[in-house]
Amino acid sequence: MNENTSGLTRLNERSRTILRQIVESYLETGEPVGSRNLSRVLPMALSPASIRNVMSDLEQLGLIVAPHTSAGRLPTQLGLRLFVDGLLEVGDLDTRERRQIEAHIAGRQATTVDDVLRDVGEMISGLSHCAGVVLADKQVTRLKHIEFVLLEPGKALVVLVDEDQTVENRIVDLPKGMPPSALAEAANYLNAHVRGLTMSEARARIEQQLQSSRAELDELTKRFIQSGLAEWSGTIDDRKSLIVRGQANLLKDVNAQDDLERIRHLFDDLERKRDLVQLLGLSESADGVRIFIGSENKLFSLSGSSLIVAPFQDERRKVVGVLGVIGPTRINYARIIPMVDYTAKLVSRLLT
């Protein structure tokens, strides 16, 4: 039992019901709800005065707040988290939505894994009316060819071609005194040994051969290959492909200046690839859907956004990425959680 769920045990049934109604009203309208309106929709007969007493208790617990001096209340971030973890009734996707997702993925025209994931990002963005995000390992495909082009003394361009015909270019430093002819020698050696391998597999094989002195290369060429392999494998940011689709959906239903400012902050957040990659990376070790609400993560501390993501796997049952949506904290959790979960499972099936 997590801390938020255990917090529910301290609430009686009346308090839970009123909290649920306040949150559900907020998710539907984005507006504060008052005791008089609550008394009309609650499944139990309570006077506005009795409801106000409960609302006062919930406010003292930090679960709801009065945004203005009016009697209306909104859920706080803590209240939203308590609702999502313990009160939210997550159903299943209806048949129409399941078929829509299945048809989109089955009828894709994409030829590469990256194209498939871009299509999925577009699809989930459209269905959720939020921004779709996908983070995946770049090394899901295998190397086909490596080429080096001398740019200037001390600098070379490495051209990596994978089996999906995707081309990636990197600029690398050359060891001092390395002749241009050594680039061709390095390329020939690598192409003879790495074809059909992922970058991580290629790096392991070449390093083993270099250390065992089985590679008939001069010292400068060995140094270049060793430093190049380390650099080409890159940092976690470089090894990940980040796809964000449908940011324009976040501008829908934006009326107040405060909402526009929140969306501006969110767009700034999405530009900070490193922070978003690190946040999504946390979800790769999760079993199933993960939900981040507002300032629970520093990335969304200003925009007050929610992120719902789930991991997907390759044919070896290894997690190779996550997908999901980013939207306002009043996102439709009950609908989007199963949508993200089902889509991630379909993508896993597609990659196996």
Side-chain angles (χ1 to χ4, degrees), residues 283-289 309-313 319 321-323 344-345 348:
S283 306
E284 290 185 328
S285 59
D287 183 17
V289 178
V309 287
F312 55 87
Q313 303 170 325
V319 172
V322 295
L323 63 84
K345 288 174 180 173
S348 293

Side-chain angles (χ1 to χ4, degrees), residues 220-231:
L220 285 175
T221 307
K222 284 183 181 179
R223 270 176 45 205
F224 169 62
I225 290 176
Q226 284 178 314
S227 63
L229 284 170
E231 194 169 331

Side-chain angles (χ1 to χ4, degrees), residues 184-197:
E185 184 182 7
N188 290 337
Y189 176 80
L190 289 169
N191 284 317
H193 292 87
V194 304
R195 186 181 179 91
L197 302 180

Side-chain angles (χ1 to χ4, degrees), residues 199-255:
M199 180 58 77
S200 59
E201 290 169 344
R203 180 179 178 180
R205 175 179 293 184
I206 297 301
E207 285 182 344
Q208 183 182 36
Q209 292 187 349
L210 292 175
Q211 290 170 4
S212 63
S213 301
R214 281 183 284 165
E216 296 180 359
L217 300 166
D218 63 45
E219 287 305 313
L220 285 175
T221 307
K222 284 183 181 179
R223 270 176 45 205
F224 169 62
I225 290 176
Q226 284 178 314
S227 63
L229 284 170
E231 194 169 331
W232 306 334
S233 297
T235 63
I236 186 171
D237 293 13
D238 296 326
R239 296 197 307 270
K240 301 290 184 180
S241 174
L242 176 64
I243 301 165
V244 182
R245 291 289 184 269
Q247 292 99 315
N249 286 331
L250 301 171
L251 292 170
K252 294 177 180 176
D253 301 322
V254 173
N255 299 312

Side-chain angles (χ1 to χ4, degrees), residues 67-295:
H68 309 294
T69 54
S70 65
R73 297 294 188 275
L74 293 174
T76 62
Q77 181 178 298
L78 179 60
L80 273 175
R81 171 52 70 183
L82 203 65
F83 170 82
V84 168
D85 286 351
L87 296 174
L88 178 65
E89 296 178 2
V90 178
D92 204 351
L93 290 177
D94 61 39
T95 303
R96 180 185 61 82
E97 285 188 321
R98 279 176 175 263
R99 288 177 178 168
Q100 192 174 356
I101 295 172
E102 291 166 358
H104 183 96
I105 291 179
R108 74 195 190 286
Q109 301 297 315
T111 57
T112 69
V113 172
D114 273 354
D115 287 341
V116 170
L117 296 179
R118 287 189 185 94
D119 283 353
V120 168
E122 292 275 7
M123 177 203 69
I124 203 166
S125 167
L127 289 176
S128 65
H129 308 297
C130 297
V133 291
V134 182
L135 179 74
D137 288 351
K138 283 185 178 177
Q139 293 93 346
V140 289
T141 54
R142 299 181 179 274
L143 290 167
K144 181 179 181 181
H145 185 73
I146 294 178
E147 194 70 44
F148 299 111
V149 179
L150 183 65
L151 298 177
E152 60 183 59
K155 297 281 184 185
L157 179 72
V158 57
V159 182
L160 304 171
V161 184
D162 63 31
E163 290 182 344
D164 287 336
Q165 303 300 319
T166 301
V167 178
E168 185 174 343
N169 300 321
R170 301 280 183 93
I171 295 176
V172 294
D173 295 323
L174 300 177
K176 190 174 182 180
M178 183 175 181
S181 60
L183 290 178
E185 184 182 7
N188 290 337
Y189 176 80
L190 289 169
N191 284 317
H193 292 87
V194 304
R195 186 181 179 91
L197 302 180
T198 65
M199 180 58 77
S200 59
E201 290 169 344
R203 180 179 178 180
R205 175 179 293 184
I206 297 301
E207 285 182 344
Q208 183 182 36
Q209 292 187 349
L210 292 175
Q211 290 170 4
S212 63
S213 301
R214 281 183 284 165
E216 296 180 359
L217 300 166
D218 63 45
E219 287 305 313
L220 285 175
T221 307
K222 284 183 181 179
R223 270 176 45 205
F224 169 62
I225 290 176
Q226 284 178 314
S227 63
L229 284 170
E231 194 169 331
W232 306 334
S233 297
T235 63
I236 186 171
D237 293 13
D238 296 326
R239 296 197 307 270
K240 301 290 184 180
S241 174
L242 176 64
I243 301 165
V244 182
R245 291 289 184 269
Q247 292 99 315
N249 286 331
L250 301 171
L251 292 170
K252 294 177 180 176
D253 301 322
V254 173
N255 299 312
Q257 184 62 38
D258 287 349
D259 286 341
L260 286 171
E261 186 67 10
R262 178 182 58 78
I263 294 299
R264 186 184 68 77
H265 283 304
L266 178 55
F267 281 1
D268 290 342
D269 294 339
L270 296 179
E271 289 298 317
R272 290 198 291 276
K273 177 183 175 183
R274 177 181 294 273
D275 289 343
L276 186 54
V277 165
Q278 289 176 344
L279 175 58
L280 291 171
L282 294 174
S283 306
E284 290 185 328
S285 59
D287 183 17
V289 178
R290 283 202 68 176
I291 303 163
F292 300 90
I293 299 176
S295 60

